[in-house]
PDB file of all heavy atoms in Angstrom:
ATOM      1  N   TYR A   1      -6.239 -13.457   4.058  1.00 95.00           N
ATOM      2  CA  TYR A   1      -5.549 -14.514   3.359  1.00 95.00           C
ATOM      3  C   TYR A   1      -4.159 -13.984   2.990  1.00 95.00           C
ATOM      4  O   TYR A   1      -3.894 -12.757   2.905  1.00 95.00           O
ATOM      5  CB  TYR A   1      -6.298 -14.957   2.088  1.00 95.00           C
ATOM      6  CG  TYR A   1      -6.789 -13.826   1.192  1.00 95.00           C
ATOM      7  CD1 TYR A   1      -5.960 -13.056   0.401  1.00 95.00           C
ATOM      8  CD2 TYR A   1      -8.135 -13.548   1.214  1.00 95.00           C
ATOM      9  CE1 TYR A   1      -6.462 -12.038  -0.384  1.00 95.00           C
ATOM     10  CE2 TYR A   1      -8.661 -12.480   0.473  1.00 95.00           C
ATOM     11  CZ  TYR A   1      -7.762 -11.769  -0.346  1.00 95.00           C
ATOM     12  OH  TYR A   1      -8.288 -10.722  -1.118  1.00 95.00           O
ATOM     13  N   PRO A   2      -3.184 -14.841   2.822  1.00 96.00           N
ATOM     14  CA  PRO A   2      -1.788 -14.457   2.455  1.00 96.00           C
ATOM     15  C   PRO A   2      -1.776 -13.570   1.227  1.00 96.00           C
ATOM     16  O   PRO A   2      -2.328 -13.974   0.183  1.00 96.00           O
ATOM     17  CB  PRO A   2      -1.037 -15.699   2.308  1.00 96.00           C
ATOM     18  CG  PRO A   2      -1.775 -16.756   3.112  1.00 96.00           C
ATOM     19  CD  PRO A   2      -3.256 -16.272   2.993  1.00 96.00           C
ATOM     20  N   GLY A   3      -1.212 -12.373   1.286  1.00 96.00           N
ATOM     21  CA  GLY A   3      -1.095 -11.460   0.173  1.00 96.00           C
ATOM     22  C   GLY A   3      -2.052 -10.299   0.190  1.00 96.00           C
ATOM     23  O   GLY A   3      -1.952  -9.373  -0.580  1.00 96.00           O
ATOM     24  N   ALA A   4      -3.020 -10.328   1.142  1.00 96.00           N
ATOM     25  CA  ALA A   4      -4.067  -9.309   1.182  1.00 96.00           C
ATOM     26  C   ALA A   4      -3.525  -7.926   1.597  1.00 96.00           C
ATOM     27  O   ALA A   4      -3.933  -6.911   1.058  1.00 96.00           O
ATOM     28  CB  ALA A   4      -5.208  -9.728   2.179  1.00 96.00           C
ATOM     29  N   THR A   5      -2.575  -7.906   2.572  1.00 97.00           N
ATOM     30  CA  THR A   5      -2.015  -6.627   3.012  1.00 97.00           C
ATOM     31  C   THR A   5      -1.392  -5.870   1.853  1.00 97.00           C
ATOM     32  O   THR A   5      -1.725  -4.665   1.601  1.00 97.00           O
ATOM     33  CB  THR A   5      -1.010  -6.825   4.120  1.00 97.00           C
ATOM     34  OG1 THR A   5      -1.636  -7.446   5.236  1.00 97.00           O
ATOM     35  CG2 THR A   5      -0.362  -5.514   4.581  1.00 97.00           C
ATOM     36  N   GLU A   6      -0.507  -6.551   1.117  1.00 97.00           N
ATOM     37  CA  GLU A   6       0.265  -5.842   0.014  1.00 97.00           C
ATOM     38  C   GLU A   6      -0.538  -5.845  -1.267  1.00 97.00           C
ATOM     39  O   GLU A   6      -0.356  -4.963  -2.084  1.00 97.00           O
ATOM     40  CB  GLU A   6       1.582  -6.546  -0.125  1.00 97.00           C
ATOM     41  CG  GLU A   6       2.570  -6.309   1.056  1.00 97.00           C
ATOM     42  CD  GLU A   6       3.704  -7.316   1.112  1.00 97.00           C
ATOM     43  OE1 GLU A   6       3.357  -8.510   1.347  1.00 97.00           O
ATOM     44  OE2 GLU A   6       4.846  -6.906   0.985  1.00 97.00           O
ATOM     45  N   GLY A   7      -1.445  -6.852  -1.466  1.00 96.00           N
ATOM     46  CA  GLY A   7      -2.208  -6.938  -2.708  1.00 96.00           C
ATOM     47  C   GLY A   7      -3.484  -6.183  -2.712  1.00 96.00           C
ATOM     48  O   GLY A   7      -3.935  -5.708  -3.778  1.00 96.00           O
ATOM     49  N   ASP A   8      -4.178  -6.098  -1.542  1.00 96.00           N
ATOM     50  CA  ASP A   8      -5.493  -5.442  -1.498  1.00 96.00           C
ATOM     51  C   ASP A   8      -5.514  -4.129  -0.717  1.00 96.00           C
ATOM     52  O   ASP A   8      -6.181  -3.152  -1.144  1.00 96.00           O
ATOM     53  CB  ASP A   8      -6.512  -6.412  -0.827  1.00 96.00           C
ATOM     54  CG  ASP A   8      -6.737  -7.683  -1.649  1.00 96.00           C
ATOM     55  OD1 ASP A   8      -7.601  -7.649  -2.510  1.00 96.00           O
ATOM     56  OD2 ASP A   8      -6.031  -8.685  -1.420  1.00 96.00           O
ATOM     57  N   CYS A   9      -4.738  -4.076   0.386  1.00 98.00           N
ATOM     58  CA  CYS A   9      -4.815  -2.863   1.194  1.00 98.00           C
ATOM     59  C   CYS A   9      -3.820  -1.750   0.742  1.00 98.00           C
ATOM     60  O   CYS A   9      -4.213  -0.590   0.704  1.00 98.00           O
ATOM     61  CB  CYS A   9      -4.484  -3.242   2.653  1.00 98.00           C
ATOM     62  SG  CYS A   9      -5.691  -4.407   3.378  1.00 98.00           S
ATOM     63  N   VAL A  10      -2.614  -2.142   0.433  1.00 98.00           N
ATOM     64  CA  VAL A  10      -1.627  -1.146   0.023  1.00 98.00           C
ATOM     65  C   VAL A  10      -2.012  -0.350  -1.177  1.00 98.00           C
ATOM     66  O   VAL A  10      -1.854   0.894  -1.190  1.00 98.00           O
ATOM     67  CB  VAL A  10      -0.224  -1.814  -0.195  1.00 98.00           C
ATOM     68  CG1 VAL A  10       0.731  -0.946  -0.976  1.00 98.00           C
ATOM     69  CG2 VAL A  10       0.419  -2.179   1.153  1.00 98.00           C
ATOM     70  N   PRO A  11      -2.563  -0.957  -2.314  1.00 98.00           N
ATOM     71  CA  PRO A  11      -3.043  -0.188  -3.358  1.00 98.00           C
ATOM     72  C   PRO A  11      -4.117   0.897  -3.006  1.00 98.00           C
ATOM     73  O   PRO A  11      -4.115   1.982  -3.573  1.00 98.00           O
ATOM     74  CB  PRO A  11      -3.693  -1.165  -4.316  1.00 98.00           C
ATOM     75  CG  PRO A  11      -2.883  -2.468  -4.015  1.00 98.00           C
ATOM     76  CD  PRO A  11      -2.687  -2.419  -2.539  1.00 98.00           C
ATOM     77  N   ILE A  12      -4.909   0.609  -2.001  1.00 98.00           N
ATOM     78  CA  ILE A  12      -5.919   1.604  -1.482  1.00 98.00           C
ATOM     79  C   ILE A  12      -5.176   2.738  -0.816  1.00 98.00           C
ATOM     80  O   ILE A  12      -5.492   3.925  -1.032  1.00 98.00           O
ATOM     81  CB  ILE A  12      -6.916   0.903  -0.518  1.00 98.00           C
ATOM     82  CG1 ILE A  12      -7.644  -0.260  -1.193  1.00 98.00           C
ATOM     83  CG2 ILE A  12      -7.868   1.978   0.126  1.00 98.00           C
ATOM     84  CD1 ILE A  12      -8.600   0.158  -2.261  1.00 98.00           C
ATOM     85  N   LEU A  13      -4.195   2.418  -0.041  1.00 98.00           N
ATOM     86  CA  LEU A  13      -3.386   3.441   0.643  1.00 98.00           C
ATOM     87  C   LEU A  13      -2.705   4.345  -0.368  1.00 98.00           C
ATOM     88  O   LEU A  13      -2.664   5.566  -0.245  1.00 98.00           O
ATOM     89  CB  LEU A  13      -2.342   2.798   1.568  1.00 98.00           C
ATOM     90  CG  LEU A  13      -2.886   1.990   2.743  1.00 98.00           C
ATOM     91  CD1 LEU A  13      -1.700   1.289   3.488  1.00 98.00           C
ATOM     92  CD2 LEU A  13      -3.599   2.874   3.712  1.00 98.00           C
ATOM     93  N   GLU A  14      -2.167   3.714  -1.422  1.00 98.00           N
ATOM     94  CA  GLU A  14      -1.438   4.489  -2.473  1.00 98.00           C
ATOM     95  C   GLU A  14      -2.429   5.389  -3.179  1.00 98.00           C
ATOM     96  O   GLU A  14      -2.184   6.570  -3.478  1.00 98.00           O
ATOM     97  CB  GLU A  14      -0.793   3.558  -3.449  1.00 98.00           C
ATOM     98  CG  GLU A  14       0.487   2.866  -2.931  1.00 98.00           C
ATOM     99  CD  GLU A  14       1.196   2.041  -3.962  1.00 98.00           C
ATOM    100  OE1 GLU A  14       0.460   1.345  -4.765  1.00 98.00           O
ATOM    101  OE2 GLU A  14       2.397   2.064  -4.041  1.00 98.00           O
ATOM    102  N   LYS A  15      -3.652   4.866  -3.537  1.00 97.00           N
ATOM    103  CA  LYS A  15      -4.646   5.577  -4.273  1.00 97.00           C
ATOM    104  C   LYS A  15      -5.063   6.848  -3.542  1.00 97.00           C
ATOM    105  O   LYS A  15      -5.141   7.890  -4.119  1.00 97.00           O
ATOM    106  CB  LYS A  15      -5.814   4.691  -4.562  1.00 97.00           C
ATOM    107  CG  LYS A  15      -6.956   5.381  -5.321  1.00 97.00           C
ATOM    108  CD  LYS A  15      -8.163   4.462  -5.496  1.00 97.00           C
ATOM    109  CE  LYS A  15      -9.359   5.163  -6.099  1.00 97.00           C
ATOM    110  NZ  LYS A  15     -10.522   4.247  -6.236  1.00 97.00           N
ATOM    111  N   PHE A  16      -5.410   6.692  -2.216  1.00 97.00           N
ATOM    112  CA  PHE A  16      -5.988   7.828  -1.509  1.00 97.00           C
ATOM    113  C   PHE A  16      -4.958   8.784  -0.884  1.00 97.00           C
ATOM    114  O   PHE A  16      -5.262   9.897  -0.506  1.00 97.00           O
ATOM    115  CB  PHE A  16      -6.878   7.262  -0.368  1.00 97.00           C
ATOM    116  CG  PHE A  16      -8.222   6.813  -0.891  1.00 97.00           C
ATOM    117  CD1 PHE A  16      -8.403   5.517  -1.363  1.00 97.00           C
ATOM    118  CD2 PHE A  16      -9.297   7.687  -0.894  1.00 97.00           C
ATOM    119  CE1 PHE A  16      -9.594   5.111  -1.841  1.00 97.00           C
ATOM    120  CE2 PHE A  16     -10.520   7.280  -1.354  1.00 97.00           C
ATOM    121  CZ  PHE A  16     -10.682   5.959  -1.860  1.00 97.00           C
ATOM    122  N   SER A  17      -3.667   8.378  -0.837  1.00 97.00           N
ATOM    123  CA  SER A  17      -2.651   9.216  -0.286  1.00 97.00           C
ATOM    124  C   SER A  17      -1.819   9.864  -1.405  1.00 97.00           C
ATOM    125  O   SER A  17      -1.195  10.953  -1.191  1.00 97.00           O
ATOM    126  CB  SER A  17      -1.708   8.417   0.574  1.00 97.00           C
ATOM    127  OG  SER A  17      -0.958   7.498  -0.156  1.00 97.00           O
ATOM    128  N   GLY A  18      -1.754   9.261  -2.581  1.00 97.00           N
ATOM    129  CA  GLY A  18      -0.919   9.694  -3.668  1.00 97.00           C
ATOM    130  C   GLY A  18       0.556   9.441  -3.378  1.00 97.00           C
ATOM    131  O   GLY A  18       1.447   9.905  -4.105  1.00 97.00           O
ATOM    132  N   LEU A  19       0.865   8.583  -2.398  1.00 98.00           N
ATOM    133  CA  LEU A  19       2.239   8.215  -2.001  1.00 98.00           C
ATOM    134  C   LEU A  19       2.640   6.865  -2.598  1.00 98.00           C
ATOM    135  O   LEU A  19       1.766   6.027  -2.955  1.00 98.00           O
ATOM    136  CB  LEU A  19       2.361   8.211  -0.486  1.00 98.00           C
ATOM    137  CG  LEU A  19       2.063   9.526   0.214  1.00 98.00           C
ATOM    138  CD1 LEU A  19       2.086   9.356   1.727  1.00 98.00           C
ATOM    139  CD2 LEU A  19       3.013  10.664  -0.217  1.00 98.00           C
ATOM    140  N   LYS A  20       3.969   6.601  -2.612  1.00 98.00           N
ATOM    141  CA  LYS A  20       4.461   5.355  -3.121  1.00 98.00           C
ATOM    142  C   LYS A  20       4.860   4.432  -2.020  1.00 98.00           C
ATOM    143  O   LYS A  20       5.601   4.817  -1.102  1.00 98.00           O
ATOM    144  CB  LYS A  20       5.732   5.680  -4.006  1.00 98.00           C
ATOM    145  CG  LYS A  20       6.278   4.483  -4.699  1.00 98.00           C
ATOM    146  CD  LYS A  20       5.498   4.135  -5.993  1.00 98.00           C
ATOM    147  CE  LYS A  20       6.221   3.022  -6.784  1.00 98.00           C
ATOM    148  NZ  LYS A  20       5.401   2.484  -7.837  1.00 98.00           N
ATOM    149  N   PHE A  21       4.386   3.177  -2.130  1.00 97.00           N
ATOM    150  CA  PHE A  21       4.651   2.181  -1.108  1.00 97.00           C
ATOM    151  C   PHE A  21       6.132   1.788  -1.074  1.00 97.00           C
ATOM    152  O   PHE A  21       6.796   1.648  -2.155  1.00 97.00           O
ATOM    153  CB  PHE A  21       3.846   0.873  -1.427  1.00 97.00           C
ATOM    154  CG  PHE A  21       4.048  -0.260  -0.563  1.00 97.00           C
ATOM    155  CD1 PHE A  21       3.977  -0.168   0.856  1.00 97.00           C
ATOM    156  CD2 PHE A  21       4.326  -1.573  -1.037  1.00 97.00           C
ATOM    157  CE1 PHE A  21       4.205  -1.188   1.683  1.00 97.00           C
ATOM    158  CE2 PHE A  21       4.523  -2.612  -0.206  1.00 97.00           C
ATOM    159  CZ  PHE A  21       4.444  -2.437   1.222  1.00 97.00           C
ATOM    160  N   ASN A  22       6.669   1.649   0.103  1.00 97.00           N
ATOM    161  CA  ASN A  22       8.036   1.324   0.358  1.00 97.00           C
ATOM    162  C   ASN A  22       9.056   2.361  -0.030  1.00 97.00           C
ATOM    163  O   ASN A  22      10.235   2.174  -0.101  1.00 97.00           O
ATOM    164  CB  ASN A  22       8.430  -0.037  -0.135  1.00 97.00           C
ATOM    165  CG  ASN A  22       8.069  -1.225   0.802  1.00 97.00           C
ATOM    166  OD1 ASN A  22       7.774  -0.965   1.958  1.00 97.00           O
ATOM    167  ND2 ASN A  22       8.064  -2.437   0.280  1.00 97.00           N
ATOM    168  N   GLN A  23       8.504   3.513  -0.395  1.00 97.00           N
ATOM    169  CA  GLN A  23       9.312   4.678  -0.778  1.00 97.00           C
ATOM    170  C   GLN A  23       8.893   5.810   0.093  1.00 97.00           C
ATOM    171  O   GLN A  23       9.755   6.484   0.784  1.00 97.00           O
ATOM    172  CB  GLN A  23       9.159   5.034  -2.258  1.00 97.00           C
ATOM    173  CG  GLN A  23      10.025   6.183  -2.651  1.00 97.00           C
ATOM    174  CD  GLN A  23       9.898   6.427  -4.197  1.00 97.00           C
ATOM    175  OE1 GLN A  23      10.022   5.528  -5.011  1.00 97.00           O
ATOM    176  NE2 GLN A  23       9.557   7.678  -4.575  1.00 97.00           N
ATOM    177  N   ASP A  24       7.569   6.105   0.086  1.00 97.00           N
ATOM    178  CA  ASP A  24       7.055   7.231   0.900  1.00 97.00           C
ATOM    179  C   ASP A  24       6.467   6.724   2.209  1.00 97.00           C
ATOM    180  O   ASP A  24       6.502   7.385   3.232  1.00 97.00           O
ATOM    181  CB  ASP A  24       5.968   7.996   0.137  1.00 97.00           C
ATOM    182  CG  ASP A  24       6.535   8.589  -1.149  1.00 97.00           C
ATOM    183  OD1 ASP A  24       7.597   9.152  -1.169  1.00 97.00           O
ATOM    184  OD2 ASP A  24       5.870   8.444  -2.211  1.00 97.00           O
ATOM    185  N   PHE A  25       5.738   5.598   2.161  1.00 97.00           N
ATOM    186  CA  PHE A  25       5.185   5.007   3.377  1.00 97.00           C
ATOM    187  C   PHE A  25       5.453   3.503   3.400  1.00 97.00           C
ATOM    188  O   PHE A  25       5.855   2.896   2.368  1.00 97.00           O
ATOM    189  CB  PHE A  25       3.659   5.260   3.481  1.00 97.00           C
ATOM    190  CG  PHE A  25       2.862   4.469   2.476  1.00 97.00           C
ATOM    191  CD1 PHE A  25       2.287   3.270   2.898  1.00 97.00           C
ATOM    192  CD2 PHE A  25       2.605   4.888   1.232  1.00 97.00           C
ATOM    193  CE1 PHE A  25       1.557   2.458   2.008  1.00 97.00           C
ATOM    194  CE2 PHE A  25       1.865   4.140   0.291  1.00 97.00           C
ATOM    195  CZ  PHE A  25       1.375   2.931   0.693  1.00 97.00           C
ATOM    196  N   PHE A  26       5.195   2.866   4.541  1.00 97.00           N
ATOM    197  CA  PHE A  26       5.565   1.436   4.733  1.00 97.00           C
ATOM    198  C   PHE A  26       4.432   0.703   5.409  1.00 97.00           C
ATOM    199  O   PHE A  26       3.493   1.259   5.927  1.00 97.00           O
ATOM    200  CB  PHE A  26       6.882   1.361   5.526  1.00 97.00           C
ATOM    201  CG  PHE A  26       7.984   2.131   4.937  1.00 97.00           C
ATOM    202  CD1 PHE A  26       8.195   3.476   5.292  1.00 97.00           C
ATOM    203  CD2 PHE A  26       8.865   1.604   3.998  1.00 97.00           C
ATOM    204  CE1 PHE A  26       9.185   4.266   4.775  1.00 97.00           C
ATOM    205  CE2 PHE A  26       9.886   2.329   3.447  1.00 97.00           C
ATOM    206  CZ  PHE A  26      10.059   3.677   3.797  1.00 97.00           C
ATOM    207  N   ALA A  27       4.522  -0.593   5.380  1.00 98.00           N
ATOM    208  CA  ALA A  27       3.475  -1.430   5.955  1.00 98.00           C
ATOM    209  C   ALA A  27       4.029  -2.537   6.868  1.00 98.00           C
ATOM    210  O   ALA A  27       5.195  -2.968   6.695  1.00 98.00           O
ATOM    211  CB  ALA A  27       2.575  -2.049   4.852  1.00 98.00           C
ATOM    212  N   GLY A  28       3.225  -2.991   7.755  1.00 98.00           N
ATOM    213  CA  GLY A  28       3.567  -4.146   8.613  1.00 98.00           C
ATOM    214  C   GLY A  28       2.364  -4.975   8.838  1.00 98.00           C
ATOM    215  O   GLY A  28       1.220  -4.588   8.547  1.00 98.00           O
TER     216      GLY A  28
END
C-alpha cells in the first residue's frame, strides 16, 4: 500500500543497521 516502503520497511532497515535514512542509506 502507498507509504509502506518509507513507513514500514525503512524503520526496520534503520533499526538493524544503525544507519540514518537518506543520510547514510537510500531507498527506491
Side-chain angles (χ1 to χ4, degrees):
Y1 46 77
T5 298
E6 292 161 294
D8 296 272
C9 299
V10 164
I12 300 293
L13 296 173
E14 287 185 318
K15 177 183 175 182
F16 283 85
S17 69
L19 301 174
K20 186 78 172 171
F21 177 52
N22 276 346
Q23 182 177 307
D24 302 316
F25 74 93
F26 306 88

